[in-house]
Amino acid sequence: MPDGKILTIGRHILDQQKLYPHATGAFTGLLHDIALAAKLIAQQTTRAGLLDILGATEGENIYGERQQKLDLFADRVIFQMNDHTGRLCVMGSEESEELIPIPDQFEAGKYVLLFDPLDGSSNIDVNVSIGTIFAIHRKISAGERGTLEDALQPASKLVAAGYVIYGSSTMLVYSTGQGVHGFTLDPSVGEFLLSHENIQMPPTPKYYSANQGYTKKWTPGIQAYLNWLQGLDSDDHEPLAGRYIGSLVADFHRNLLRGGVFLYPGDMKEPAGKMRLMFEAQALAFIANQAGGYASDGVGSILDIQPHDLHQRVPLIVGNRDLVETAENFIREHDNEWVKTYLPIRQGHTR
Ligand code: AHM
Ligand code: MG
């Protein structure tokens, strides 16, 4: 804790607002609502393993609530915390095919909220860390309600982004473009307290994170990069240790604090990989950049990609800048064929 002071997330958000002289408080309120949604989701994720034994017949639990898959619960909580506040003009969720409009009876505001309500949800049943990812854009269209144009902005235009990790403790990490700050949920008081101020990626990275089960289908450049990360190609640098959880938020968070690189590259079969630009990659690219790191799709910065589809996928290589740039070099050297296939997808000409 910085100089022993206890700083709640509410207080921190208000202090950050002072950095923006024209702030109306809408944005501050929005971050507040996200933090509240995170607490509600955290409270349910810690009970995830109990659903089966607490559940009564017909899928109802002992409280008379219908049992729900945790990711759908998280999706609904984030929507309900934000649909009526007058701060958002539209929302987008990884769980919803289309943009989510603000119901007609409520006023529309000037921000767009994009979120992955519960990423890594296949890990829920095996008690492995999962997370929520969020990104906030400013409305740019002229009408009263938000449109796709408002949502499909490059990450360089983000107003704020962050994530929540539901792990051995729950943490919320966010940035408004003034550094990256981390808060740990103290369950005894139900507050997020500042625990990691101004996070910067350590200069000496420790880990690489990739699903090496896919080695066979990786392009030659990615295979060569992995060899390099492991120090197989020469003795002139220390190999990194491998860590892969299969929960993007958890893998990213560990590498943010310890230094390293996460990669989920494209290959010839899925040239754009698996990660979603709007719900996963944009937010983490913004945070990485603020923490002194870098995020690339293999050919350039994720921050600069002009999105064309709400659910578009993107190869993601994120972490310490030099490690990510080295990956770009390997791709430039070995993966011409892949680059030729991927570029039209990046530009929205083909899928
Ligand atoms: P999800 O959005 O369906 O939960 O999938 C995203 C997850 C990431 O958290 C993780 O990094 C990746 O998928 C793991 O994929 P794989 O099992 O192919 O390694
Ligand atoms: Mg996801």
Side-chain angles (χ1 to χ4, degrees), residues 94 116 118-122 211 214 244 246-249 251 262 264 274-276 280:
E94 195 188 289
D116 182 350
L118 215 51
D119 183 70
S121 43
S122 65
N211 187 339
Y214 300 142
Y244 187 73
S247 250
L248 176 60
V249 171
D251 279 312
F262 170 95
Y264 205 116
K274 175 182 183 185
M275 295 305 161
R276 271 136 289 217
E280 298 170 329

Side-chain angles (χ1 to χ4, degrees), residues 275-296:
M275 295 305 161
R276 271 136 289 217
L277 177 62
M278 304 313 295
F279 305 115
E280 298 170 329
Q282 278 208 342
L284 301 188
F286 184 81
I287 299 272
N289 184 54
Q290 282 291 314
Y294 175 49
S296 168

Side-chain angles (χ1 to χ4, degrees), residues 39-74:
K39 285 188 218 171
L40 293 168
I41 298 167
Q43 188 236 3
Q44 284 300 310
T45 52
T46 50
R47 300 174 70 241
L50 297 172
L51 277 182
D52 284 346
I53 52 172
L54 296 183
T57 50
E58 312 251 326
E60 294 217 333
N61 66 24
I62 50 167
Y63 305 106
E65 298 153 348
R66 279 202 77 75
Q67 279 183 39
Q68 244 184 337
K69 280 184 67 190
L70 214 45
D71 42 5
L72 297 181
F73 168 81

Side-chain angles (χ1 to χ4, degrees), residues 14 29 196 287 291 299 304-305 317:
L14 275 173
H196 298 64
I287 299 272
V299 297
D304 298 333
I305 298 177
I317 309 168

